[in-house]
Amino acid sequence: MAFFPPPPPTLEDPIRAQARGQHVVCALFVTFFFKGSTLQVWEGDGPISRGGVEWLGMGQRVDGSGNPLQSIDGLEQAANGTAPQLSLRLNGVDSTVVTAAKSTVPDEIEGRDLTVQIGFYDATIPGALVPLGDLLTLGLWTMQKPSFTATGPTLRTITLPCETLFAQRSRAPFGMLTDRDQQRRFPGDLGCQFPPKLVDRDVAWPRH
């Protein structure tokens, strides 16, 4: 019986492969925890098995200008009281896909979890992807209401915004202990201006 959980995945294998001069590549893996089902996709071509899961491929498709038809924006660390928004975008879909997405029951998507992971591969041999280590989880988000836009007479774009737990929607407006909210509550007050600068610093107090 194991008393301690296994250690989290590390970058040891990809780093060693890179140091040996191998061609190391990476790909993102996204899991949608919808109300009625779970969808797991990756940004490469075709299905692929990783971590005991069969991931569906989104495909490295591009438009006529060479721009990717699918993208993930906003993968950044929350800092200084900010709550960066993750945005998943699928371009070039036809009206049939948009109609199906619009007809989906709202709570099938809204408020449901989404995770993004990254996986590394040794692509030294052309046409072969050798997994390096385990998938690393980049974060957990909550899916919001998707939006739809039209480009030309037939092509459509679906955008799915996602928020982190740092969004704190349950808090009242200006309810965060940040300099931005403090300025809106009490303009000119400097009480919340300096905390971000005190991280990992030793402050001698009181001073005589």
Side-chain angles (χ1 to χ4, degrees):
M1 178 178 179
F3 291 95
F4 299 98
T10 67
L11 291 172
E12 181 178 353
D13 290 341
I15 291 175
R16 287 182 175 180
Q18 183 72 26
R20 289 194 297 264
Q22 296 167 242
H23 183 203
V24 177
V25 298
C26 66
L28 295 178
F29 295 75
V30 183
T31 302
F32 301 84
F33 295 96
F34 298 124
K35 181 179 180 180
S37 62
T38 299
L39 175 63
Q40 293 169 301
V41 301
W42 76 301
E43 60 178 345
D45 292 321
I48 193 171
S49 181
R50 189 72 187 265
V53 175
E54 192 75 12
W55 302 80
L56 300 178
M58 292 295 292
Q60 299 288 352
R61 300 181 303 147
V62 296
D63 60 17
S65 301
N67 301 311
L69 294 180
Q70 69 277 339
S71 62
I72 300 178
D73 302 320
L75 279 174
E76 58 184 271
Q77 181 179 1
N80 298 328
T82 62
Q85 186 181 76
L86 183 74
S87 180
L88 288 85
R89 185 175 295 106
L90 182 61
N91 300 318
V93 298
D94 59 28
S95 58
T96 303
V97 176
V98 173
T99 301
K102 286 184 175 180
S103 63
T104 302
V105 178
D107 66 353
E108 178 71 19
I109 299 175
E110 296 180 51
R112 304 296 168 181
D113 291 339
L114 174 145
T115 60
V116 179
Q117 297 172 287
I118 188 171
F120 293 88
Y121 291 92
D122 178 3
T124 305
I125 302 176
L129 292 176
V130 180
L132 295 172
D134 297 323
L135 295 178
L136 300 174
T137 300
L138 299 181
L140 170 68
W141 286 264
T142 301
M143 293 183 283
Q144 307 300 309
K145 182 178 181 180
S147 62
F148 309 91
T149 56
T151 304
T154 57
L155 298 183
R156 305 291 184 267
T157 298
I158 301 177
T159 302
L160 178 64
C162 305
E163 294 181 344
T164 68
L165 296 177
F166 293 100
Q168 291 290 341
R169 284 187 171 273
S170 60
R171 288 184 179 270
F174 315 139
M176 301 294 292
L177 194 62
T178 62
D179 182 59
R180 178 185 298 177
D181 280 6
Q182 184 72 354
Q183 291 301 319
R184 294 182 177 181
R185 289 188 294 262
F186 306 102
D189 185 272
L190 303 180
C192 294
Q193 183 178 7
F194 303 102
K197 301 178 182 179
L198 299 179
V199 177
D200 296 329
R201 293 186 61 181
D202 295 326
V203 180
W205 186 89
R207 294 181 179 178
H208 298 289

